[in-house]
Amino acid sequence: MYFFKRIFYTLSLSFLSQTVTSATPVILPEIASIVERDQSGLFDKIWLALIKRGKLQVTLKRYPLARAIKQFESNTGSCFGVGSVEAAKIYTRIHVREAKESYLVSEFPIFTLRNKPVVRSVKELKGKRVGHLLGDLPLFYHRVDENDITPYGVANHARLLVMLKKGRIDAILSSNIDMMKYRDVVHYSVESSFLSTYETLICHHQTDHGPLFRSFEKAVRAIKQSGELRTIMEQHQ
């Protein structure tokens, strides 16, 4: 009898240990200089700081954008490490909930080459050709349609810059965070921003991630108050 009790006790401890230490997959979409496989991107560094500060029990998973969204949609136990509920409504078909703290706010302005006039309103693009990342068009489709803009979707920002320099497109619609890497080549006016979205942690609505959300929110406040987030941003520029 004692033997069986010991086995039950050992198995119970093992189960509890796995339950407590199980890591939640946090999916990050790969974006040049923002999310990189070698963890050198801006969001990579922010998330590593958040994990360390909050002792977050998560595992970061990086995929190309389309695959990242599919992975998130198919795994109800996973979370997405960028965006917000509003963004999720555009990109996914699932109901999600979000943390109460965000680590950054992204603007989506209009970028042009520095040797070209800055665009201050989407109306100035009437009849123009505008480049964007594949998958981003739903963010601003109604603005494109009503202003007679011809959209060109490509796989990455580097390709967008090539097209812009060769005159194949007249402007780029993208996140100011995503375009930080090219700030010496392009410029924009804050007046031209057609969308603002905050970057936070979003998870499936039907899964209880309350403890993770609370730890994440505490970690976000900590890296902001300590100046660590500002330092990460300055070092990335």
Side-chain angles (χ1 to χ4, degrees), residues 93-107:
R93 303 183 300 273
I94 60 176
H95 190 29
V96 301
R97 62 179 64 183
E98 65 187 7
K100 296 177 181 178
E101 297 281 350
S102 60
Y103 53 87
L104 279 181
V105 175
S106 295
E107 299 286 344

